[in-house]
Amino acid sequence: ACRCYRRLLEIDPLAEDTGRKLMTLFVRRGMPNKALQVYEALRRRLKEDLCEEPGPGLEVVYQSILTSKNRT
């Protein structure tokens, strides 16, 4: 599934829903740092290409990863 979502992000690097799903998969697989990398890449593209910030769905996943990392 991760490969599929990565491929979809290659095709559409601004697809927040795809990024959110990939981030969630990485977290479930115990790779929160990979999830954060996906977030940062997507955030950067949104800012550069559309002058926008990530939407609330992506932010919720991002914040939950940060919160869980701070607990450990």
Side-chain angles (χ1 to χ4, degrees):
C2 287
R3 276 190 226 132
C4 289
Y5 285 125
R6 283 183 185 184
R7 180 69 181 123
L8 288 171
L9 278 177
E10 287 175 8
I11 295 167
D12 182 3
L14 301 173
E16 290 187 60
D17 189 49
T18 302
R20 182 181 52 76
K21 290 174 183 176
L22 181 56
M23 289 170 65
T24 302
L25 282 174
F26 278 139
V27 169
R28 288 183 184 161
R29 296 180 82 194
M31 298 184 286
N33 289 335
K34 289 271 191 195
L36 294 175
Q37 290 173 356
V38 171
Y39 173 84
E40 287 301 329
L42 189 49
R43 184 194 61 76
R44 187 173 46 252
R45 289 299 301 260
L46 287 166
K47 188 70 166 175
E48 291 173 359
D49 294 359
L50 303 176
C51 296
E52 292 184 10
E53 294 296 325
L58 200 62
E59 277 298 313
V60 166
V61 175
Y62 173 70
Q63 291 299 325
S64 70
I65 295 168
L66 292 180
T67 301
S68 67
K69 283 186 66 129
N70 287 335
R71 285 188 215 155
T72 57

